[in-house]
Amino acid sequence: MTDSTEADAIAALQRLGLSKYEAQVFCALQPIDKATASEISETSDVPRSQVYGAADGLEELGLVDVQQSNPQQFRAVGLDEARAHLQAKIEREQDRAFEALDSLQQQPIDETETQEDIWTLKGQETINDRVTQLTSNANNRIIFGARDPIILDDNVVTALSKAQADGIDVFITSGNPEVCELFEERGLEACQFPMKPDDNDRSGRVLAIDSDVILMSVLVPTHDRTQNEVAFWSDGTGFASILIGLLETWFSKIIEP
């Protein structure tokens, strides 16, 4: 084995759960029929005193056979057999892990204290993806507002257009005429409201789905004078219901004739 091939094999075996010494010993045994601890140490840089412990671990995994001679000799099992043993080990650990996780899910929750689920998102691409996904799950109504067309991608506009085509009531609003024009070009009516000079230029977007999903974002200046979008969203919580109620009140006022 070349140095790079051996290093790759050792690293891969460690990812499969072997210790570094176990991986080194197993690799050292590949090109030879059998070897003593001293011989393995000479070719693997594993201290002789550590070879025995590593070999014991490999024997427990079924990867090495030990000949009870004086001195002891070790040989690696065939690769197909080794693969089968490691696969079985991985499956056992996987079963153990998910059985434990299932048990955790079944544990009773202390209902004396509840917590509303509020999630955060960072980055325009991530937020656009979540807006698209939430929009596709709407049942009755969508309210959407954005300050700047630069934070919107085509997937968001397409998702809102599709929702309207599917019979969902879609209400678009913005204080920026460019945003309104962008949606109107796609057949979505947009309600423009007057901007005030002191309006917060860090506002990003708002999305309300039916009566239980809310997403709101702000634009945060970065060190290089660009702006990063940060959002929070909540689904099926009292927090979301209250914010949507406030949004509905505000929206009803700006669309009044």
Side-chain angles (χ1 to χ4, degrees):
M1 286 187 291
T2 65
D3 289 344
S4 62
T5 301
E6 184 175 11
D8 289 343
I10 290 170
L13 288 169
Q14 286 183 268
R15 290 192 292 272
L16 291 174
L18 273 63
S19 71
K20 183 177 181 180
Y21 284 155
E22 288 171 346
Q24 287 177 302
V25 169
F26 190 65
C27 287
L29 288 170
Q30 294 308 306
I32 56 180
D33 180 47
K34 59 184 178 180
T36 65
S38 295
E39 291 168 338
I40 293 171
S41 178
E42 290 175 2
T43 58
S44 66
D45 293 329
V46 177
R48 182 175 177 276
S49 61
Q50 299 294 330
V51 170
Y52 293 102
D56 286 343
L58 291 169
E59 185 181 20
E60 290 180 9
L61 292 171
L63 303 185
V64 160
D65 293 330
V66 180
Q67 185 180 58
Q68 299 301 327
S69 55
N70 189 17
Q72 283 184 323
Q73 297 200 74
F74 310 92
R75 70 175 182 182
V77 302
L79 291 182
D80 288 342
E81 183 179 350
R83 183 193 295 270
H85 284 306
L86 284 176
Q87 183 65 39
K89 176 181 180 293
I90 291 170
E91 290 176 356
R92 288 194 302 272
E93 294 301 328
Q94 178 178 274
D95 290 343
R96 185 176 295 114
F98 282 93
E99 285 171 5
L101 290 170
D102 183 64
S103 296
L104 288 174
Q105 287 188 347
Q106 304 307 317
Q107 289 182 0
I109 298 174
D110 182 3
E111 295 184 356
T112 61
E113 182 177 341
T114 59
Q115 180 174 330
E116 298 276 58
D117 290 329
I118 301 173
W119 307 93
T120 58
L121 300 167
K122 292 183 179 180
Q124 289 179 13
E125 183 176 351
T126 300
I127 296 170
N128 279 326
D129 289 345
R130 183 52 51 88
V131 168
T132 301
Q133 179 260 316
L134 293 174
T135 298
S136 68
N137 294 330
N139 293 314
N140 300 304
R141 184 200 60 195
I142 298 171
I143 298 175
F144 181 82
R147 181 184 183 89
D148 195 322
I150 198 171
I151 66 175
L152 305 176
D153 70 358
D154 190 62
N155 289 334
V156 170
V157 182
T158 299
L160 289 166
S161 298
K162 183 179 184 303
Q164 179 173 266
D166 290 341
I168 306 296
D169 292 330
V170 179
F171 301 97
I172 309 293
T173 182
S174 178
N176 187 335
E178 293 181 12
V179 172
C180 296
E181 289 171 8
L182 184 152
F183 284 106
E184 288 170 353
E185 289 172 358
R186 297 289 291 271
L188 288 163
E189 185 178 349
C191 175
Q192 184 179 343
F193 61 89
M195 294 281 289
K196 298 178 181 179
D198 58 347
D199 277 352
N200 185 358
D201 61 3
R202 289 177 58 181
S203 61
R205 69 180 98 188
V206 61
L207 172 73
I209 305 290
D210 300 324
S211 298
D212 49 12
V213 178
I214 187 76
L215 180 148
M216 302 182 76
S217 77
V218 295
L219 300 176
V220 181
T222 62
H223 65 280
D224 59 357
R225 297 184 179 181
T226 60
Q227 289 185 317
N228 186 34
E229 190 176 8
V230 179
F232 74 83
W233 70 280
S234 188
D235 182 357
T237 64
F239 179 82
S241 297
I242 291 172
L243 281 180
I244 291 173
L246 293 172
L247 183 62
E248 289 171 340
T249 300
W250 172 82
F251 193 75
S252 66
K253 291 180 178 179
I254 67 169
I255 64 174
E256 287 178 353

